[in-house]
Every structure is written in structure tokens, then in C-alpha cells.
């Protein structure tokens, strides 16, 4: 479907950007042009910040129990518009419709969490000495920004929208220029839910607008989700301007498969993890380490992988450049002596010849130094390495600079506990291929997968989106009066 040219969303209205520079939004599903997205300038950002600043006093002073009413209604609207949102998500991102439905369901769960914030942000109060009380309260920051990647056009924006806004902040969202449509629809639903104009704004664009966000003196905090390369740039730039910043980066997630693992369950989980969303999940399994003899499991992984059909139960990767990059990784591994057991290169889907598909790919006998073993591929590819011991497997996992997720497949509880302790990743799975913590548990990796303190969702996000006010209070009982007498 062809959509109207995309506009920014400022103060509750869709408005044209000040620059004539645009980019095409191409559907990875079939290569069709969906729309164009403006490359905004700092002038557009200024307008959004002015609107957000103007909305902040009234929004932040509203009791949180009133603010979350918007999110009860937003949740109902997400449910009501589930299918339409999923269709849009699938069209612009390339993931399957089923995966897009799951993405919107996750947005609903994230919003549900935000509606419980009044229960979670009660402050503390203590009589610290006779007649003297200390109390704390969580105070919103002001205007905040959220910069998001292409792989979850609705879910990643909803990692930040409900929590940051329910906690009393006003937000500038910078969607990925590759998938800018879903955010516009979310803005309409927020307005329909009763969010006052100016509390949520969208400024589209690329590096220019990200830099302007990091430099803007009236933006108090920046959250970023995307590649490690850009996470480092944004973290450095935002914090050098004395802003709070939480920047989530890329990943290289390891699954450790022990010989006692349940064969069918493990094979199904490994393949679902590496191929779900065409491998474009920061939680996707990208490397598998077989400890000891796991040949029977690898055979089953190949059987399962062959059941994954591009264009049917496997979506497209985001762009032609991505497809080329992923296929280059596979060819390099082959050249370096790895064995391609299932080959997803040179795939064309009938009737969608311009779509950018890569088939599921299983590469065995990968050496820990090969690029497919060390780098984020972000495609439906699993690189299998072999070790003799769990400690050797952990050494490979620990040596990787990323640290988003790691999983172990085993029936041995002691061994699972050992791996939980020793793996250097923020999110660990035991017999779970995609160990995304469900709400209210927070989401966030370690090492080069995250820069900044705390996590982006769940209770941990409260600390990021608020500042703590501490009051020490002494009333004067001798006066015998107070403001009510
Ligand atoms: P990306 O880093 O290319 O882009 C992310 C955002 O940064 C976009 O809004 C983009 O416009 C902007 N951007 C791009 N280049 C920039 C530059 N040089 N300077 C300033 N801003 C720039 O990431 P992507 O390709 O959209 O998304 C995929 C990446 O995101 C993967 O590495 C994936 O692992 C990661 N990711 C991580 C998580 C997590 O939770 N850790 C979640 C989702 C995606």
C-alpha cells in the first residue's frame, strides 16, 4: 500500500518538516515504495521541544493516577487496532504478520506495566528523629528524547513511551528512517487516548537530528536503542552535554548446547531463536557452542531450519544492503573453511522478487576467530562452534565484547546454575532460546550491549525517567497552628 508522505508530529498535529530532503521508505516484503520520510533539521527539533516544554508544567503536575488513565485507554486502543498495527509493522519492517502480531501484543504488555506505575513509585517516609521526617518522591525530568532502531517499529518505541510519559515527562521520539510509519499511528492512538498535545512529539530524520537531540540544551535525557557503533556515539555526545543517557547497543548471543540437552526441544528453540524476525532481534541466537558430542542435535537443527520457508514463515531482512551484508558473512565463513549445512543465500520469493529475503543458514565447524563467530550478523544465520568443555564454551562467550543474552540447553540444574554465574551477559536463558524478561522484569544487556546505568523497561526504568527529591521536614508544634487552622 502507498501511504501519504510522512510528516513530523508536533503539538498534536502532523506538520511538514522544514527541509525538502527526504528518503524513500521501501517495503522489504516486495520492494514497493511505501512513502517518503523527511530528514528534519534542528529547526524542526526546536519546534518540538517548544511544544514539549509548554506541555510539561500541566502534564507533570497532574497526579500520576490521572496520567495513567491515558495509558489504560491507549492499551485498549492497541488491542482494538492490533491487526491494523501488525499489518503496518509487517509491511514496513518485513517481518511476518504473526511476528508483527506478537510485537503489538508486547506493546500491550508494556503499556499494562505503565498503568501499574502509581503502585511502584510511592516514595519513602521516616521519622528520622523526634518530630523530624525525611521523605522521598520521584519527580519527572522534563523534556526527554527516545531514539529507536528499525527492527521493532512499535515495540521499541513502546519500551519508552508509556513509562517515560506516565512518569510525567514530555517526549520527542526519533523513529528509524527505515520504518517511520508505525510511530505516526501510535501518535494518533495516544491522542485518541486523551494525551494532551505536546506531551508526545515525533521528529523524523537521520544522523543530523540525532546529533541535534544530543546537543539540545532543553532535552534532559536521551534513551537510544540501536547498533553499538551508534550507541557509543550517542552516549558520548549526550553525556558530554551533561544529559542522562541510556544507550542500548548490538549483540552477539551465544547458545551453549550440552550433550544431555533434550534434542527436539533444543533444535526447535535454536532455530526459532536464530530465524525469528529473520534474525533481526537483538536477542537472536547468533552463535551456538556445542559442548562435547551434539551431532544428533545439529542434525535436528538442520531438519528444523529446512522447515523455515522465506516469504511464508520467514520474513524479509530490512534492505538490499542488509541481504548483501549477511550473504557476504556466509561466503567469508565458507572461504575460511566452515561448513555450510543449510544455505540461505540467493533466495528469491516467487511473486516478491524485489523482496529482500535470506533463507535460514546453519554454519558448522566455525572457528572462534572467524567474523561469523565474533560479529553481529543480524540475519537468520547460526554459527556453530565446538568445544570439549563447558569452561571452553564460557571462555568464547566471555571473550565476546557484547553481552546482551546467553542461553544454555541442558537437563543438569547444577550445570545451568554454573553457566548463569559465569556467562557475561545481562539476560540468561536456561532451555529458552530468546530469554527476553517479561514485564515487570527489566530489559537490558551488559558490556558493549548497553551504555549507562539501569535498564530500559520495568521497574529499573523508573530511576532513569525520574529524579529523586528528598525532603527533611520539621513542624513547629508549639505554634499550635498550621495552614488549615
Ligand atoms: P542503527 O544504530 O543503525 O540506528 C539506530 C538509530 O540511530 C536510528 O534511529 C538511526 O536513524 C540513528 N543513526 C544511525 N546512524 C547514526 C549515526 N551515525 N549517528 C547518529 N544516529 C544514527 O541501528 P538499526 O540498524 O536501526 O538497528 C539494528 C541494531 O539495533 C542492531 O545492532 C541491534 O542489535 C540493535 N538493537 C539493540 C537492542 C537492544 O536492546 N540492545 C534492541 C533492538 C535493536
Amino acid at each position: 500500500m502507498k501511504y501519504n508522505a510522512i510528516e513530523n508530529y508536533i503539538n498534536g498535529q502532523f506538520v511538514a518538516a522544514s527541509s525538502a530532503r527526504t528518503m524513500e521508505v521501501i517495503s522489504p516484503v516486495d520492494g514497493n515504495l511505501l512513502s517518503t520520510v523527511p530528514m528534519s533539521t534542528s529547526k524542526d527539533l526546536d519546534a518540538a521541544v517548544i511544544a514539549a516544554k509548554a506541555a510539561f508544567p500541566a502534564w507533570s503536575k497532574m497526579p500520576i493516577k490521572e496520567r495513567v488513565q491515558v495509558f489504560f485507554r491507549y492499551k485498549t486502543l492497541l488491542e482494538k487496532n492490533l491487526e491494523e498495527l501488525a499489518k503496518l509493522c509487517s509491511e514496513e519492517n518485513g517481518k511476518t504478520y504473526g511476528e508483527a502480531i506478537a510485537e503489538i501484543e508486547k506493546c500491550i504488555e508494556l503499556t499494562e506495566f505503565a498503568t501499574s506505575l502509581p503502585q511502584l513509585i510511592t516514595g519513602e517516609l521516616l521519622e528520622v528523629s523526634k518530630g523530624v521526617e525525611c521523605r522521598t518522591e520521584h519527580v519527572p525530568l522534563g523534556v526527554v528524547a527516545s531514539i529507536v532502531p528499525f527492527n521493532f517499529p512499535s515495540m521499541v518505541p513502546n519500551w519508552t513511551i508509556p513509562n517515560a510519559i506516565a512518569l510525567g515527562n514530555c517526549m520527542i521520539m526519533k523513529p528509524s528512517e527505515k520504518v517511520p510509519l508505525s510511530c505516526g499511528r501510535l501518535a494518533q492512538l495516544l491522542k485518541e487516548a486523551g494525551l494532551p498535545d505536546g506531551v508526545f512529539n515525533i521528529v523524523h530524520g537521520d544522523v543530523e537530528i540525532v546529533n541535534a537531540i544530543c546537543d539540545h540544551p532543553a532535552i534532559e535525557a536521551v534513551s537510544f536503542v540501536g547498533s553499538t557503533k551508534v550507541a557509543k556515539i550517542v552516549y558520548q555526545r549526550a553525556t558530554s552535554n551533561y544529559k542522562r543517557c541510556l544507550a542500548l547497543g548490538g549483540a552477539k548471543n551465544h547458545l551453549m548446547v550440552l550433550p544431555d540437552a533434550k534434542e527436539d526441544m533444543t533444535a526447535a528453540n535454536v532455530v526459532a531463536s536464530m530465524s525469528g524476525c529473520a534474525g533481526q532481534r537483538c536477542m537472536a541466537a547468533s552463535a551456538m557452542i556445542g559442548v562435547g558430542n551434539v551431532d544428533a542435535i545439529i542434525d535436528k537443527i538442520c531438519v528444523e531450519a529446512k522447515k523455515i520457508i522465506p516469504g511464508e514463515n520467514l520474513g524479509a531482512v530490512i534492505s538490499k544492503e542488509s541481504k548483501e551484508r549477511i550473504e557476504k558473512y556466509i561466503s567469508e565463513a565458507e572461504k575460511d573453511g566452515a561448513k555450510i549445512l543449510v544455505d540461505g543465500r540467493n533466495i528469491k520469493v516467487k511473486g516478491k522478487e524485489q523482496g529482500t529475503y535470506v533463507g535460514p543458514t546453519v554454519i558448522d565447524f566455525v572457528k572462534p576467530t572467524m567474523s561469523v563467530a565474533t560479529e553481529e550478523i543480524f540475519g537468520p544465520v547460526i554459527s556453530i562452534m565446538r568445544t570439549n568443555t563447558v569452561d571452553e564454551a564460557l571462555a568464547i562467550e566471555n571473550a565476546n565484547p557484547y553481552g546482551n543474552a546467553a542461553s544454555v540447553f541442558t537437563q543438569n540444574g547444577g550445570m545451568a546454575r554454573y553457566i548463569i554465574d559465569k556467562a557475561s551477559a545481562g539476560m540468561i536463558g536456561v532451555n529458552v532460546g530468546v530469554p527476553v524478561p517479561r514485564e515487570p522484569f527489566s530489559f537490558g544487556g551488559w558490556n558493549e550491549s548497553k551504555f549507562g546505568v539501569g535498564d530500559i523497561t520495568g521497574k529499573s526504568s523508573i530511576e532513569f525517567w525520574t529524579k529523586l527529591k528528598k525532603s527533611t521536614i520539621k513542624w513547629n508544634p508549639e505554634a499550635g497552628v498550621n495552614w488549615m487552622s
Side-chain angles (χ1 to χ4, degrees):
M1 180 170 159
K2 183 91 165 70
Y3 297 88
N4 290 338
I6 295 166
E7 295 184 314
N8 289 332
Y9 181 77
I10 297 176
N11 206 21
Q13 307 294 325
F14 286 98
V15 290
S18 61
S19 146
R21 192 163 72 93
T22 59
M23 269 177 62
E24 292 186 333
V25 184
I26 306 282
S27 174
V29 175
D30 50 17
N32 284 343
L33 177 70
L34 293 175
S35 185
T36 55
V37 58
M39 297 296 108
S40 308
T41 66
S42 57
K43 206 170 144 205
D44 303 306
L45 181 66
D46 284 342
V49 172
I50 288 169
K53 263 184 99 166
F56 181 68
W59 180 247
S60 58
K61 283 193 178 57
M62 190 185 280
I64 187 165
K65 281 172 80 90
E66 282 179 42
R67 287 197 299 257
V68 297
Q69 297 310 313
V70 170
F71 289 97
F72 278 109
R73 294 189 290 270
Y74 177 62
K75 175 180 174 282
T76 306
L77 288 168
L78 290 173
E79 285 162 349
K80 197 171 139 200
N81 294 281
L82 176 83
E83 289 174 8
E84 181 217 322
L85 287 164
K87 189 174 157 287
L88 187 60
C89 174
S90 163
E91 227 177 342
E92 66 175 341
N93 170 277
K95 63 181 67 180
T96 67
Y97 179 67
E99 289 165 346
I101 288 277
E103 172 165 350
I104 309 303
E105 283 171 349
K106 184 68 191 174
C107 297
I108 293 166
E109 188 179 329
L110 289 158
T111 307
E112 197 173 272
F113 173 78
T115 62
S116 69
L117 282 168
Q119 277 62 257
L120 298 173
I121 65 150
T122 49
E124 296 173 318
L125 187 144
L126 182 72
E127 187 179 41
V128 288
S129 60
K130 191 81 191 133
V132 180
E133 289 170 2
C134 279
R135 60 171 255 188
T136 60
E137 60 198 296
H138 289 275
V139 177
L141 303 175
V143 180
V144 298
S146 178
I147 302 162
V148 293
F150 78 80
N151 61 331
F152 285 93
S154 277
M155 184 191 78
V156 174
N158 277 298
W159 276 357
T160 58
I161 296 169
N163 291 356
I165 294 180
L167 288 165
N169 300 291
C170 294
M171 178 176 275
I172 316 288
M173 174 64 65
K174 207 301 276 175
S176 162
E177 61 276 36
K178 294 174 187 150
V179 295
L181 287 157
S182 292
C183 270
R185 191 68 190 109
L186 297 178
Q188 289 173 327
L189 296 182
L190 285 163
K191 181 158 178 145
E192 198 180 333
L195 192 71
D197 291 348
V199 177
F200 178 71
N201 307 275
I202 302 173
V203 180
H204 292 283
D206 57 4
V207 48
E208 182 180 343
I209 210 70
V210 172
N211 287 343
I213 287 173
C214 294
D215 294 345
H216 203 295
I219 294 178
E220 303 292 337
V222 176
S223 76
F224 171 88
V225 182
S227 60
T228 291
K229 182 179 140 228
V230 182
K232 283 181 176 173
I233 295 170
V234 168
Y235 187 79
Q236 210 160 38
R237 192 157 180 152
T239 55
S240 74
N241 284 313
Y242 311 107
K243 296 183 197 312
R244 260 180 209 207
C245 185
L246 183 60
L248 274 61
K252 183 79 185 175
N253 305 314
H254 294 74
L255 302 185
M256 285 163 262
V257 176
L258 275 46
D260 69 339
K262 289 267 183 218
E263 291 181 4
D264 291 338
M265 181 270 285
T266 303
N269 266 272
V270 170
V271 173
S273 179
M274 63 86 126
S275 68
C277 297
Q280 299 175 123
R281 285 191 288 208
C282 64
M283 295 294 280
S286 177
M288 176 184 137
I289 310 173
V291 180
N293 185 350
V294 294
D295 286 353
I297 296 176
I298 293 173
D299 288 346
K300 290 196 174 185
I301 287 173
C302 293
V303 172
E304 285 298 316
K306 285 175 187 158
K307 293 182 194 162
I308 307 286
I309 312 296
E312 287 179 25
N313 53 355
L314 179 68
V317 298
I318 190 69
S319 62
K320 206 164 142 280
E321 295 71 36
S322 256
K323 178 177 159 73
E324 285 167 7
R325 196 198 66 243
I326 297 162
E327 295 191 350
K328 192 161 162 246
Y329 271 115
I330 304 168
S331 300
E332 260 175 31
E334 189 174 39
K335 195 163 83 14
D336 293 345
K339 195 166 169 200
I340 316 295
L341 301 181
V342 182
D343 192 349
R345 286 171 291 183
N346 306 316
I347 295 286
K348 283 259 178 274
V349 171
K350 204 160 174 279
K352 293 172 183 165
E353 282 75 11
Q354 297 309 311
T356 43
Y357 294 88
V358 178
T361 301
V362 180
I363 314 178
D364 200 0
F365 301 106
V366 168
K367 296 268 176 301
T369 49
M370 291 180 185
S371 58
V372 288
T374 56
E375 294 173 22
E376 180 174 43
I377 301 173
F378 229 50
V381 179
I382 188 95
S383 308
I384 304 178
M385 289 168 270
R386 315 279 194 127
T387 63
N388 292 319
T389 67
V390 164
D391 285 330
E392 283 169 331
L394 281 164
I396 294 172
E397 192 278 337
N398 285 187
N400 195 273
Y402 296 106
N404 227 31
S407 287
V408 56
F409 287 83
T410 180
Q411 294 304 300
N412 181 329
M415 200 48 93
R417 184 69 242 174
Y418 184 76
I419 287 172
I420 291 173
D421 287 347
K422 303 270 177 185
S424 182
M427 294 171 279
I428 311 289
V430 175
N431 298 316
V432 173
V434 186
V436 175
R438 298 284 301 267
E439 310 307 310
F441 295 94
S442 62
F443 186 100
W446 286 3
N447 311 330
E448 299 227 328
S449 292
K450 192 187 72 187
F451 305 92
V453 178
D455 288 334
I456 200 159
T457 65
K459 281 190 237 173
S460 184
S461 70
I462 296 171
E463 301 308 321
F464 185 72
W465 295 121
T466 61
K467 52 193 174 189
L468 210 56
K469 182 167 273 183
K470 290 76 59 180
S471 310
T472 305
I473 306 158
K474 185 170 74 176
W475 296 117
N476 177 4
E478 305 83 57
V481 292
N482 61 34
W483 63 90
M484 280 164 29
S485 57

